[in-house]
Amino acid sequence: MPMNIWGYVVRRLLYIIPMVIGITAITFFTVFAAAGGNPVAIVEANDPELPQATVNALIAYLQLDKPVPIQYLNWLWNVVHLNFGVSIQSGRPVSDIIWSWAWTTVYLQLFALVVSVALAIPISVYAARRRNSAGDFVITGISVFGISAPVFWVGEMLIILFAYDLGVLPAGGAHSLNAVWPWSIGDYLAHLALPAAVIAYFNLGLYVRLLRSRLVEIFQSDYVMALRAMGTPERITVYKHALRNAITPVVTFVGLALGTSIAGAPVTETTFSWPGLGYEFVRAITNLDFPVILAIVFLISVMTMVSNIVVDILYVYIDPRVRVS
Amino acid sequence: MDSVLTVEGLKTYFYTEAGVVRAVDDVSFSVKPGTIHALVGESGSGKTVTAQSILRIVPKPGRTVGGRIMFEDKNLLELGEKEMRRIRGRRISLIQQDPTATLDPMFTVQDQLVEAIMVTTELDREQAKRKARKLLEDVRIPGPENVLRSYPHQLSGGMRQRVAIARALAGDPKLLIADEPTTALDVTIQAQILELMRGLRDEYGLSIILITHDLGIVAQVADEVTVMYAGKVCESASVVDVFYSPLHPYTQALLLSVPRVDKRVKLRAIPGNIPDLVDPPKGCRFHPRCPYAVEKCSQEEPKLERADYMADHSGERSVYCHRFRELKLEVK
Amino acid sequence: MATQTVRRRSASQFAVALRRFRRSKAGLTGLGMLVFMSIVAALGPRIAPYNVNSNNLLLEGETDIAPTWLKPPLFHNWAFPFGTTVGGLDVFSGVLVSLHVDMIIGVGAALFAMALAILVGLVSGFYGRVVDTVLMRITELFIVFPALLFLLLLSRLLAGRLTGVETILFYIIIIGVFSWATNARLIRGEVLRVKSLEFIESEKALGASTSRIVFRHILPNVLAQVVVLTSFTVATSILTEVALFFLGFGSGNILSLGEIMYLNFPYMDVEWWSELFPGISVVILVLAFNLLGDGLSDALNPKLRE
């Protein structure tokens, strides 16, 4: 890759920092504002039986005696050192548990991403080439349905069908209790199937719509006509040329969609009781477990931004016009 | 004289929601070997669709519905897709108007040339790379190595058009169809491209169908001309004949509407608009705008009339006008 | 040079767009579905056969009943067409009564978001330079912001204290706040495109007085895209709102489709109807706006076909 691309990469990575600071700061201050300035009070009000030791730990971690901006900076400082505090719910240090949650979320999202992109390409090509045919119509219909149906509802319906009625797939969780990686890989895959299918279906709808319309445009372009006029085999015209040109905006879009999907984890993970960041987030806010809440917001923001950047880099790599000399 | 390509009664229609567009309606002309044959007309006259019909790449919802196209003793319209693919790029090539859009922005010049060469010939990749370089030299591009490594967006318009021409020559075609190759370029570059075409004709005996709406270009490089209007042919003759003694009123009107630097001539626009091709005028399609139209013109479509006796050099010309014998068209 | 066109009747832009819309299968379907759902939503509370206050209960013995028309003889008993829940809620009535809540929140949030998006997009695109940079940074922040997380947090912290109407307003605002950013960026792009069109230059050359007059030229051209975006934004707002309620972070004092699904989620293994029918209603609603958006897009930005 040309040297200037590395410069671009570094700049984008550095860019994450102010964004994440912005996001976490806003979250931090909003929490305090909504809590009327005293988060401890509402935590205690929420659960009067909380052990005093836990409350003390919270006060110490958040440095509640200091002014709010200092509190934030203090929290930020802790986070940079990967000190996410102690969970109010469980009393355990957050950094112990958060990484396994993060990994669980990540591998589900990545798996769904790969499936949806792998399927989107052939489906879109088919639909674009046989434009306005019955097949195209069906594909377009399924795509628009996919983006119109709430993800959790599709999930529920699939759970009801496959887990309760047919009993072939598990209803939730990432793996059975006694399953051990990697020997019980089948078990892991069985649990992965439904949630990944649901996430993939929704995103597939988005990708197919975009990719298909791009391909239709490109099939009418001059260079495609020139290729046909040269007698180039259709296979090369479509997969080497048309697809490469069509994919550029789609790549950016996939990145954004991945980011949104990660941020939307609470919904899918709750539906499937999938023990990832989203699921834990829902539990955390129910219990007003602030250290966990802040930690998850932080992590998810970083993950979202990283996926955006990876995609931006891919885009520059794919499209030669964007590489500034 | 033998022709390299003969189009007879070509009809290509577009079946749209608004009706059937008769884009090319009974067009005939023939191209002599080693000549530059211009297809002239306003936009919408059917020139591009004719080119697409020859190569059988008319986009949907268009279809060629009638006529013959004789090339190398075969009727192109009767060939199967597989045989057509052996013609495209290898025997007949196409270059298009917009040099920016005609090259894929994602690949280097070398990638695209090598691909074209490997698609149209039996050469392997190494041989193709060498040929690519040679092609660039043929189209008079200095410093071909740099250009080979470049992406289309890094080249100037004129350069891109040369690359497009190089690509079209990859398969050593006998006939090149150039659809408005200079319209998107500025005048100086235009001259170079035309010069290049003349060179290709003279050195390699390449036959070229040059599609254009610019009479100036026609005068500069073409040997023969076919004038088209609204999907029909008006007349077909050598350049000299058409320019100095046109037989069709439309040709005359075109010539008179071109500004001239050497004389003071009143600039006359052609009154009226080009007709709706879904519902064209009855009879001769030009008659509503023709200053010489008579009753017959609105009733009967003019047929092909040979006027060889009125041809100066080549001994051949044809015209589609009821009144061509009586009209003495002046183009001072 | 005259360009080739197939001669047509009237030429006003609006009439042309309308004609194209009428030819769009997607658009018409979407519009039809929307009209239907609006009527149902409006009449819903009035025609619902059973009362559905949050503490409602049907007559004893009428809890947890499957859709009655499924029992043989098929399609004969329509007492509870969508079944009833464990808690004694008639799902059909529940859907009828809550439909308008989802629609109001969805449309309200979208309108609010679009108003912000137009403002930011226009100002940013038109004035450029510093203003543009600053606004775009802010916009970017909102685009990458993990919206759902924040919405959940806000709902958890604040929603409990609100009453009925306030709740609806609350959701309209918070959902709108996270929907404007992407649209703002798109609108700004459109403004930039229009700005560079030739006729703007000629307006300036004519001495068009202030930016206000130019607003009158730029804005109408951007309007086409705005209309399309609005329809799609309503669709996403409804999905967001339903998700929020589904996770249990509604305020508990209004009934919505998402809320119904939340309440019955634990029982879905035995009560599939209490999740299916509210869900289908959401799908129809969102689908309507998506199809409408497609139709509007076809009508206002025709694809190159000729």
Side-chain angles (χ1 to χ4, degrees), chain C residues 145-160:
Chain C
F145 213 106
L148 191 66
L149 299 184
F150 199 68
L151 288 172
L152 288 170
L153 189 56
L154 280 179
S155 298
R156 173 72 179 90
L157 292 172
L158 300 172

PDB file of all heavy atoms in Angstrom, chain C residues 145-160:
ATOM      1  N   PHE C 145     -22.422   7.746  17.634  1.00  0.00           N
ATOM      2  CA  PHE C 145     -22.923   7.538  18.979  1.00  0.00           C
ATOM      3  C   PHE C 145     -23.739   6.251  19.036  1.00  0.00           C
ATOM      4  O   PHE C 145     -24.588   6.017  18.200  1.00  0.00           O
ATOM      5  CB  PHE C 145     -23.840   8.706  19.347  1.00  0.00           C
ATOM      6  CG  PHE C 145     -23.809   9.071  20.788  1.00  0.00           C
ATOM      7  CD1 PHE C 145     -23.170  10.209  21.201  1.00  0.00           C
ATOM      8  CD2 PHE C 145     -24.430   8.270  21.725  1.00  0.00           C
ATOM      9  CE1 PHE C 145     -23.139  10.564  22.538  1.00  0.00           C
ATOM     10  CE2 PHE C 145     -24.405   8.607  23.063  1.00  0.00           C
ATOM     11  CZ  PHE C 145     -23.760   9.769  23.472  1.00  0.00           C
ATOM     12  N   PRO C 146     -23.458   5.416  20.054  1.00  0.00           N
ATOM     13  CA  PRO C 146     -24.257   4.183  20.175  1.00  0.00           C
ATOM     14  C   PRO C 146     -25.653   4.535  20.662  1.00  0.00           C
ATOM     15  O   PRO C 146     -25.946   4.496  21.851  1.00  0.00           O
ATOM     16  CB  PRO C 146     -23.484   3.355  21.189  1.00  0.00           C
ATOM     17  CG  PRO C 146     -22.652   4.318  21.945  1.00  0.00           C
ATOM     18  CD  PRO C 146     -22.403   5.495  21.077  1.00  0.00           C
ATOM     19  N   ALA C 147     -26.504   4.866  19.715  1.00  0.00           N
ATOM     20  CA  ALA C 147     -27.792   5.454  20.042  1.00  0.00           C
ATOM     21  C   ALA C 147     -28.642   4.594  20.967  1.00  0.00           C
ATOM     22  O   ALA C 147     -29.185   5.089  21.957  1.00  0.00           O
ATOM     23  CB  ALA C 147     -28.561   5.736  18.756  1.00  0.00           C
ATOM     24  N   LEU C 148     -28.753   3.340  20.597  1.00  0.00           N
ATOM     25  CA  LEU C 148     -29.654   2.490  21.373  1.00  0.00           C
ATOM     26  C   LEU C 148     -29.248   2.432  22.843  1.00  0.00           C
ATOM     27  O   LEU C 148     -30.078   2.515  23.740  1.00  0.00           O
ATOM     28  CB  LEU C 148     -29.693   1.080  20.775  1.00  0.00           C
ATOM     29  CG  LEU C 148     -30.792   0.196  21.357  1.00  0.00           C
ATOM     30  CD1 LEU C 148     -32.158   0.727  20.988  1.00  0.00           C
ATOM     31  CD2 LEU C 148     -30.639  -1.226  20.874  1.00  0.00           C
ATOM     32  N   LEU C 149     -27.958   2.308  23.085  1.00  0.00           N
ATOM     33  CA  LEU C 149     -27.492   2.229  24.467  1.00  0.00           C
ATOM     34  C   LEU C 149     -27.924   3.471  25.243  1.00  0.00           C
ATOM     35  O   LEU C 149     -28.439   3.391  26.357  1.00  0.00           O
ATOM     36  CB  LEU C 149     -25.960   2.130  24.514  1.00  0.00           C
ATOM     37  CG  LEU C 149     -25.313   0.927  23.838  1.00  0.00           C
ATOM     38  CD1 LEU C 149     -23.817   0.971  24.077  1.00  0.00           C
ATOM     39  CD2 LEU C 149     -25.894  -0.364  24.333  1.00  0.00           C
ATOM     40  N   PHE C 150     -27.700   4.596  24.597  1.00  0.00           N
ATOM     41  CA  PHE C 150     -28.007   5.834  25.270  1.00  0.00           C
ATOM     42  C   PHE C 150     -29.511   5.987  25.479  1.00  0.00           C
ATOM     43  O   PHE C 150     -29.973   6.448  26.532  1.00  0.00           O
ATOM     44  CB  PHE C 150     -27.469   7.009  24.438  1.00  0.00           C
ATOM     45  CG  PHE C 150     -27.308   8.270  25.204  1.00  0.00           C
ATOM     46  CD1 PHE C 150     -26.341   8.374  26.196  1.00  0.00           C
ATOM     47  CD2 PHE C 150     -28.118   9.356  24.958  1.00  0.00           C
ATOM     48  CE1 PHE C 150     -26.185   9.530  26.911  1.00  0.00           C
ATOM     49  CE2 PHE C 150     -27.964  10.529  25.675  1.00  0.00           C
ATOM     50  CZ  PHE C 150     -27.002  10.614  26.655  1.00  0.00           C
ATOM     51  N   LEU C 151     -30.282   5.602  24.478  1.00  0.00           N
ATOM     52  CA  LEU C 151     -31.734   5.683  24.605  1.00  0.00           C
ATOM     53  C   LEU C 151     -32.220   4.805  25.744  1.00  0.00           C
ATOM     54  O   LEU C 151     -33.092   5.197  26.531  1.00  0.00           O
ATOM     55  CB  LEU C 151     -32.401   5.260  23.302  1.00  0.00           C
ATOM     56  CG  LEU C 151     -32.283   6.235  22.140  1.00  0.00           C
ATOM     57  CD1 LEU C 151     -32.818   5.607  20.867  1.00  0.00           C
ATOM     58  CD2 LEU C 151     -33.057   7.499  22.442  1.00  0.00           C
ATOM     59  N   LEU C 152     -31.648   3.631  25.839  1.00  0.00           N
ATOM     60  CA  LEU C 152     -32.041   2.735  26.926  1.00  0.00           C
ATOM     61  C   LEU C 152     -31.732   3.374  28.270  1.00  0.00           C
ATOM     62  O   LEU C 152     -32.552   3.359  29.193  1.00  0.00           O
ATOM     63  CB  LEU C 152     -31.294   1.394  26.799  1.00  0.00           C
ATOM     64  CG  LEU C 152     -31.750   0.487  25.660  1.00  0.00           C
ATOM     65  CD1 LEU C 152     -30.789  -0.675  25.503  1.00  0.00           C
ATOM     66  CD2 LEU C 152     -33.151  -0.014  25.916  1.00  0.00           C
ATOM     67  N   LEU C 153     -30.544   3.947  28.338  1.00  0.00           N
ATOM     68  CA  LEU C 153     -30.126   4.566  29.583  1.00  0.00           C
ATOM     69  C   LEU C 153     -31.075   5.704  29.962  1.00  0.00           C
ATOM     70  O   LEU C 153     -31.554   5.796  31.107  1.00  0.00           O
ATOM     71  CB  LEU C 153     -28.704   5.108  29.412  1.00  0.00           C
ATOM     72  CG  LEU C 153     -27.992   5.602  30.662  1.00  0.00           C
ATOM     73  CD1 LEU C 153     -27.949   4.499  31.702  1.00  0.00           C
ATOM     74  CD2 LEU C 153     -26.593   6.051  30.307  1.00  0.00           C
ATOM     75  N   LEU C 154     -31.353   6.565  29.010  1.00  0.00           N
ATOM     76  CA  LEU C 154     -32.243   7.687  29.267  1.00  0.00           C
ATOM     77  C   LEU C 154     -33.624   7.209  29.702  1.00  0.00           C
ATOM     78  O   LEU C 154     -34.211   7.740  30.655  1.00  0.00           O
ATOM     79  CB  LEU C 154     -32.391   8.551  28.014  1.00  0.00           C
ATOM     80  CG  LEU C 154     -31.271   9.536  27.712  1.00  0.00           C
ATOM     81  CD1 LEU C 154     -31.592  10.281  26.432  1.00  0.00           C
ATOM     82  CD2 LEU C 154     -31.129  10.516  28.871  1.00  0.00           C
ATOM     83  N   SER C 155     -34.117   6.210  28.984  1.00  0.00           N
ATOM     84  CA  SER C 155     -35.441   5.707  29.348  1.00  0.00           C
ATOM     85  C   SER C 155     -35.444   5.187  30.773  1.00  0.00           C
ATOM     86  O   SER C 155     -36.346   5.457  31.551  1.00  0.00           O
ATOM     87  CB  SER C 155     -35.868   4.564  28.421  1.00  0.00           C
ATOM     88  OG  SER C 155     -35.954   4.999  27.106  1.00  0.00           O
ATOM     89  N   ARG C 156     -34.418   4.462  31.099  1.00  0.00           N
ATOM     90  CA  ARG C 156     -34.343   3.881  32.441  1.00  0.00           C
ATOM     91  C   ARG C 156     -34.323   4.975  33.493  1.00  0.00           C
ATOM     92  O   ARG C 156     -34.967   4.886  34.532  1.00  0.00           O
ATOM     93  CB  ARG C 156     -33.079   3.026  32.537  1.00  0.00           C
ATOM     94  CG  ARG C 156     -32.778   2.496  33.917  1.00  0.00           C
ATOM     95  CD  ARG C 156     -33.758   1.404  34.313  1.00  0.00           C
ATOM     96  NE  ARG C 156     -33.452   0.867  35.629  1.00  0.00           N
ATOM     97  CZ  ARG C 156     -33.938   1.337  36.759  1.00  0.00           C
ATOM     98  NH1 ARG C 156     -34.755   2.380  36.749  1.00  0.00           N
ATOM     99  NH2 ARG C 156     -33.602   0.789  37.903  1.00  0.00           N
ATOM    100  N   LEU C 157     -33.574   6.021  33.215  1.00  0.00           N
ATOM    101  CA  LEU C 157     -33.421   7.045  34.231  1.00  0.00           C
ATOM    102  C   LEU C 157     -34.616   7.975  34.340  1.00  0.00           C
ATOM    103  O   LEU C 157     -34.945   8.442  35.413  1.00  0.00           O
ATOM    104  CB  LEU C 157     -32.164   7.882  33.947  1.00  0.00           C
ATOM    105  CG  LEU C 157     -30.844   7.139  34.106  1.00  0.00           C
ATOM    106  CD1 LEU C 157     -29.693   8.005  33.611  1.00  0.00           C
ATOM    107  CD2 LEU C 157     -30.632   6.776  35.557  1.00  0.00           C
ATOM    108  N   LEU C 158     -35.236   8.258  33.226  1.00  0.00           N
ATOM    109  CA  LEU C 158     -36.233   9.317  33.228  1.00  0.00           C
ATOM    110  C   LEU C 158     -37.671   8.875  33.017  1.00  0.00           C
ATOM    111  O   LEU C 158     -38.591   9.518  33.477  1.00  0.00           O
ATOM    112  CB  LEU C 158     -35.891  10.351  32.142  1.00  0.00           C
ATOM    113  CG  LEU C 158     -34.533  11.027  32.295  1.00  0.00           C
ATOM    114  CD1 LEU C 158     -34.244  11.871  31.066  1.00  0.00           C
ATOM    115  CD2 LEU C 158     -34.553  11.900  33.533  1.00  0.00           C
ATOM    116  N   ALA C 159     -37.842   7.785  32.276  1.00  0.00           N
ATOM    117  CA  ALA C 159     -39.201   7.496  31.830  1.00  0.00           C
ATOM    118  C   ALA C 159     -40.168   7.227  32.961  1.00  0.00           C
ATOM    119  O   ALA C 159     -41.350   7.509  32.869  1.00  0.00           O
ATOM    120  CB  ALA C 159     -39.191   6.329  30.861  1.00  0.00           C
ATOM    121  N   GLY C 160     -39.642   6.694  34.045  1.00  0.00           N
ATOM    122  CA  GLY C 160     -40.536   6.339  35.147  1.00  0.00           C
ATOM    123  C   GLY C 160     -41.319   7.501  35.702  1.00  0.00           C
ATOM    124  O   GLY C 160     -42.383   7.347  36.261  1.00  0.00           O
TER     125      GLY C 160
END
